[in-house]
Amino acid sequence: MKIVFVAGLSGAGKTTCLNTLEDLGFYTASSIPVSIMFRVINTLMKDELLKRMALSIDTRVGFDSNQFLRILHDIKDKGGTYEIVFLEASTQILLERFALSRRRHPFEEEGGLMEAIEEERRRLQPLREIATLIVDTTFLSVKEFKEKIKDALQKTGEAPFEVNILTFGFKYGIPQDADLVLDVRFLPNPYYVDELAPLDGKNDLVQTFIEGSGETGDFLNRTIDYLSYLLPMYRKEGKAVLHLAIGCSGGMHRAVFVGERLKRLLDEKDYFTRIFHRDIGRGKA
């Protein structure tokens, strides 16, 4: 189990940091007080499917450094590892960010905003001193900030860039959340072969029929070459999931076949892929 604790000044980017870690495959939870963090972590560590979690620390109710250190020792005793990310920014930048967002500072109960920022900075100093990574977001754009977090906290092969493949039938509508849409209605249609019409694109007979066309292999080769070029570009830009929609007339034969083939080819290239056949049981074209 790897645990990342996210803490720091309000307005310095804790939410953005947590969202970035979620994109990297971490289970995330926000605003956890140290007083209940021990129970939260022990409960989550019992889930064998969880390998990484990121928790933002709620310091509004105070921060007990001794209690937090005991939590860190317990994580090590259980064979886990941890990182403590502390985010900060200049007072002037924080003033500007709160003015733009029109949010209330959590420590702005007495006095003005500047006093609240400085009070929070003072209270969080013990946490800053034990941080394993301190990030000053004063001069960072959102994109630069995300890249800095990714570079610091992801290891090779650790961040799952996902390709979600959805097959569909055009007559039932194009998926609205698709990033890319492939129209494969030019491929031979098993619907017009009586013995193949009731079957779907996962069936060996249907696959053999579609593969019998010369353009099928050429299309798959060109498509996987295109995706091999394009996917690293999306990943570099910071995209966590690509939604690839593949459609034929009814979403039962050709789209299913192509989706399954592309998933196999992307798996061979070590991409993390999922596939869902939206209309496989709705039509026969």
Side-chain angles (χ1 to χ4, degrees):
M1 173 70 74
K2 178 176 181 177
I3 303 175
V4 175
F5 297 98
V6 179
L9 301 177
S10 301
K14 287 182 288 185
T15 299
T16 299
C17 181
L18 211 61
N19 290 340
T20 303
L21 291 171
E22 186 173 18
D23 288 343
L24 294 179
F26 284 78
Y27 171 84
T28 62
S30 62
S31 301
I32 309 296
V34 174
S35 59
I36 66 168
M37 189 168 285
F38 184 83
R39 296 196 299 273
V40 171
I41 292 175
N42 275 291
T43 299
L44 293 174
M45 288 185 77
K46 293 176 183 177
D47 189 335
E48 295 181 355
L49 297 178
L50 282 180
K51 301 300 181 184
R52 289 168 294 173
M53 70 173 81
L55 309 174
S56 70
I57 304 173
D58 189 338
T59 56
R60 291 171 294 182
V61 292
F63 174 72
D64 186 332
S65 57
N66 290 327
Q67 187 177 19
F68 188 61
L69 288 174
R70 288 196 295 270
I71 292 172
L72 299 181
H73 287 306
D74 186 69
I75 292 171
K76 281 189 174 181
D77 290 341
K78 288 183 168 65
T81 61
Y82 64 83
E83 299 277 355
I84 304 170
V85 180
F86 189 91
L87 306 175
E88 60 185 10
S90 71
T91 299
Q92 182 58 42
I93 287 295
L94 293 176
L95 287 169
E96 294 175 7
R97 290 175 182 173
F98 272 96
L100 288 173
S101 67
R102 299 184 180 180
R103 290 174 53 224
R104 178 183 176 85
H105 192 284
F107 286 84
E108 198 176 357
E109 296 179 358
E110 299 179 3
L113 177 56
M114 182 175 292
E115 289 78 8
I117 293 172
E118 295 306 324
E119 175 62 16
E120 184 179 37
R121 196 186 299 276
R122 183 189 66 78
R123 293 191 192 184
L124 294 183
Q125 184 60 29
L127 184 52
R128 186 184 189 278
E129 290 175 356
I130 62 173
T132 57
L133 174 66
I134 298 174
V135 180
D136 188 333
T137 66
T138 301
F139 300 109
L140 295 178
S141 67
V142 173
K143 180 179 178 181
E144 290 169 337
F145 177 39
K146 289 181 176 181
E147 287 301 317
K148 194 173 187 68
I149 294 299
K150 289 179 180 179
D151 290 342
L153 297 178
Q154 78 179 30
K155 296 179 181 178
T156 303
E158 195 175 48
F161 174 80
E162 296 184 18
V163 181
N164 284 351
I165 300 174
L166 174 67
T167 68
F168 70 96
F170 275 96
K171 68 181 181 180
Y172 302 114
I174 299 175
Q176 296 300 303
D177 60 346
D179 297 305
L180 295 174
V181 178
L182 296 179
D183 183 351
V184 298
R185 287 177 290 186
F186 64 90
L187 295 176
N189 192 351
Y191 175 74
Y192 297 109
V193 180
D194 291 342
E195 61 269 26
L196 300 180
L199 308 175
D200 61 53
K202 294 181 181 180
N203 184 274
D204 290 341
L205 294 175
V206 172
Q207 293 175 3
T208 300
F209 175 82
I210 298 174
E211 286 176 325
S213 171
E215 61 261 27
T216 301
D218 188 47
F219 167 73
L220 290 173
N221 290 334
R222 289 173 182 266
T223 301
I224 200 64
D225 285 345
Y226 174 61
L227 292 174
S228 297
Y229 166 77
L230 192 61
L231 294 182
M233 302 292 187
Y234 279 114
R235 187 169 191 170
K236 182 179 179 181
E237 183 62 22
K239 194 173 184 64
V241 183
L242 177 79
H243 296 276
L244 172 62
I246 304 170
C248 62
S249 300
M252 184 171 177
H253 298 116
R254 294 166 291 180
V256 172
F257 164 80
V258 172
E260 293 289 340
R261 282 292 189 270
L262 288 180
K263 183 184 187 308
R264 182 191 304 174
L265 293 169
L266 290 171
D267 286 342
E268 291 173 357
K269 293 181 177 292
D270 294 326
Y271 281 101
F272 182 76
T273 60
R274 305 176 191 269
I275 190 165
F276 175 66
H277 303 296
R278 190 189 73 180
D279 300 324
I280 193 170
R282 296 179 63 178
K284 297 181 180 181

